[in-house]
């Protein structure tokens, strides 16, 4: 699996977690912003647009600033996606 496929899969993982575990919260606040950015990232990849347009880096920090929930496994998934994107840029 190449980096782009890994990133695509990881973005989908984050979206799935948001839709399943945070279905009420993704309509407001920082989780709405994270969700919107991941949906945009998914569209950018599917349309083979410039990866520079993807704005997911900083999601971990934004989540922690809002929720202060350092042990949430969701953060690992956000971090994986951000790291993959950084490697590709």
């Amino acid at each position: 699996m190449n980096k782009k496929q890994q990133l695509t899969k990881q973005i989908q993982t984050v979206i799935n977690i948001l839709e399943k575990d945070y279905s009420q919260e993704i309509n407001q606040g920082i989780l709405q912003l994270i969700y919107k950015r991941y949906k945009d990232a998914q569209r950018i990849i599917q349309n083979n647009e410039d990866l520079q347009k993807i704005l997911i880096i900083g999601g971990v920090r934004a989540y922690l600033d809002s929720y202060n929930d350092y042990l949430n496994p969701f953060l690992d998934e956000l971090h994986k996606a951000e790291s993959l994107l950084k490697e590709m840029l």
Side-chain angles (χ1 to χ4, degrees):
M1 189 181 314
N2 68 33
K3 292 279 186 208
K4 187 173 181 180
Q5 290 169 321
Q6 287 178 309
L7 179 62
T8 302
K9 185 173 181 268
Q10 191 58 37
I11 286 171
Q12 187 59 55
T13 298
V14 170
I15 290 170
N16 290 346
I17 291 169
L18 284 166
E19 289 175 348
K20 180 176 169 276
D21 298 343
Y22 300 94
S23 59
Q24 302 302 314
E25 294 94 331
I26 61 173
N27 296 317
Q28 62 198 18
I30 199 64
L31 287 176
Q32 181 184 35
L33 180 64
I34 291 171
Y35 181 67
K36 181 183 178 312
R37 288 184 174 189
Y38 274 80
K39 293 296 279 185
D40 287 346
Q42 189 178 49
R43 180 190 48 75
I44 289 166
I45 291 172
Q46 287 171 346
N47 294 337
N48 288 314
E49 294 178 40
D50 184 1
L51 296 180
Q52 297 277 351
K53 293 180 179 180
I54 296 177
L55 301 173
I56 62 172
I57 294 171
V60 172
R61 173 64 35 217
Y63 179 87
L64 287 173
D65 287 348
S66 293
Y67 293 96
N68 200 22
D69 183 9
Y70 288 83
L71 300 178
N72 190 332
F74 176 56
L75 291 173
D76 291 336
E77 302 303 332
L78 289 175
H79 179 71
K80 286 178 198 171
E82 289 182 23
S83 296
L84 281 166
L85 180 60
K86 284 179 187 175
E87 288 176 28
M88 294 176 69
L89 295 179

